[in-house]
Amino acid sequence: MTIQEINKAYNRITVSLDNKELKNAFDYSQSLIAGTREYSFQDKLNELHDTYKYMLRYRLAGMKDPMQEQIYHNLLSACYELADSVKHKALAIDSPLSFYSHRRTLSKENASYAALHYALKKTISEKELTLLFEKIWTSDFLSEEEALALKEMLVDRELPYLVTCQIVSALLLGSLSFFDPKKLSLLFDAADIEDDEVRYRALICILLVFYTYRKRIFLYPRILDKLAALSETFPNLTKAIRTITLRFILSRETEKISWKLQ
């Protein structure tokens, strides 16, 4: 498949999932996997399809399951994540986008987050700082170990403010490239840091991610729990959200006015 065909197939999947049309999403996912020859994802797709069929049987039989809604949400989120994985795997080799070109370059680097943390505590090097940023930005779904290592960097007050801001910005770009609940969870951790520069930067990032993935955020109750918890520790959170949202709206209006003038 060409890059355009991959993106078109991916968009069909996400639109189907946005509209809760799981049958169409499965069909388009099958086509994407076959077209890109990424058959390593076939087993996962089969597993999701089987779960869907069992759910339909339960419903048709009139059986009630208190976990049914949660299972359905888990199925939807897993379908989104599978589509993301197939797309990024398919585009990894040939896409000219900077996200993928940096991924290809960084594939030769094997420095862990813990190693970068140690190096940056000793001395701030532009090389390590850039590597940290690009490693976070172009990463796949973070593992538990990677997420923990990044959280330790975020809360390490011995690291300069610049490092924390780099992590937050990289988490935003990485999240906008594809949705990773662990990256968003780390942004909440950053928003809980008692430093206004960091926490407001993180809050802006959270709102951008929420807006970008507004059709699927509700599938992750732990994320919504983190938002509720943040309201207890972030001074004047509601006011801050309103101010940031208003700034977004005003910036969009400024863009429209500039375009008309031009």
Side-chain angles (χ1 to χ4, degrees):
M1 295 178 79
T2 65
I3 292 174
Q4 289 181 333
E5 288 171 336
I6 292 169
N7 287 324
K8 186 176 181 179
Y10 172 78
N11 290 336
R12 284 176 174 171
I13 297 169
T14 54
V15 169
S16 296
L17 292 172
D18 289 346
N19 295 328
K20 312 299 184 295
E21 298 169 351
L22 273 171
K23 176 62 170 61
N24 288 340
F26 285 127
D27 291 342
Y28 292 137
S29 296
Q30 185 69 68
S31 298
L32 179 60
I33 291 172
T36 56
R37 299 182 180 180
E38 293 296 338
Y39 299 116
S40 59
F41 296 106
Q42 187 63 53
D43 289 342
K44 181 62 177 178
L45 179 61
N46 292 340
E47 178 187 329
L48 295 174
H49 196 220
D50 288 343
T51 302
Y52 178 60
K53 288 190 294 185
Y54 291 137
M55 283 187 61
L56 290 181
R57 288 177 187 174
Y58 270 95
R59 288 188 179 182
L60 290 174
M63 300 175 67
K64 294 184 178 181
D65 184 346
M67 295 297 294
Q68 190 174 71
E69 184 178 2
Q70 185 58 52
I71 293 171
Y72 179 63
H73 286 176
N74 290 342
L75 179 60
L76 280 172
S77 62
C79 288
Y80 276 115
E81 291 172 11
L82 176 61
D84 291 342
S85 296
V86 178
K87 173 193 172 185
H88 287 296
K89 180 73 172 180
L91 295 176
I93 298 175
D94 297 321
S95 176
L97 293 177
S98 58
F99 175 82
Y100 295 103
S101 63
H102 279 81
R103 276 171 69 108
R104 290 191 287 270
T105 301
L106 285 173
S107 63
K108 303 173 184 177
E109 296 281 354
N110 53 14
S112 67
Y113 291 119
L116 289 170
H117 187 177
Y118 177 76
L120 289 167
K121 284 191 75 165
K122 293 178 65 177
T123 180
I124 297 299
S125 161
E126 184 176 348
K127 178 182 178 182
E128 271 81 20
L129 201 57
T130 301
L131 179 58
L132 174 64
F133 180 90
E134 294 184 348
K135 183 177 175 67
I136 298 171
W137 167 35
T138 63
S139 62
D140 289 314
F141 292 103
L142 294 174
S143 66
E144 293 288 348
E145 182 181 357
E146 290 173 327
L148 179 59
L150 284 172
K151 183 174 181 179
E152 289 176 353
M153 294 182 74
L154 279 172
V155 300
D156 187 346
R157 295 298 85 207
E158 293 183 11
L159 286 175
Y161 158 79
L162 176 62
V163 176
T164 308
C165 289
Q166 284 281 73
I167 295 173
V168 171
S169 298
L171 287 170
L172 171 63
L173 288 183
S175 296
L176 295 181
S177 297
F178 74 99
F179 184 75
D180 180 355
K182 288 188 176 64
K183 291 188 179 74
L184 182 53
S185 181
L186 285 166
L187 286 173
F188 274 102
D189 292 331
D192 214 18
I193 293 174
E194 293 184 0
D195 182 310
D196 284 347
E197 290 288 338
V198 174
R199 71 185 343 173
Y200 276 95
R201 180 188 293 257
L203 181 58
I204 291 169
C205 293
I206 289 168
L207 294 178
L208 285 171
V209 175
F210 266 51
Y211 177 76
T212 302
Y213 300 103
R214 57 194 177 278
K215 295 291 183 68
R216 60 168 107 170
I217 284 292
F218 76 96
L219 301 174
Y220 299 89
R222 290 184 180 180
I223 294 298
L224 300 180
D225 290 343
K226 278 187 168 288
L227 180 61
L230 185 64
S231 66
E232 299 179 3
T233 58
F234 195 117
N236 301 313
L237 178 63
T238 302
K239 182 179 179 181
I241 291 175
R242 287 174 179 168
T243 301
I244 293 168
T245 303
L246 181 59
R247 295 290 178 87
F248 283 153
I249 294 171
L250 291 175
S251 66
R252 291 294 299 274
E253 291 300 318
T254 302
E255 289 177 8
K256 291 178 183 178
I257 293 170
S258 298
W259 181 81
K260 288 180 181 179
L261 287 173
Q262 291 173 5

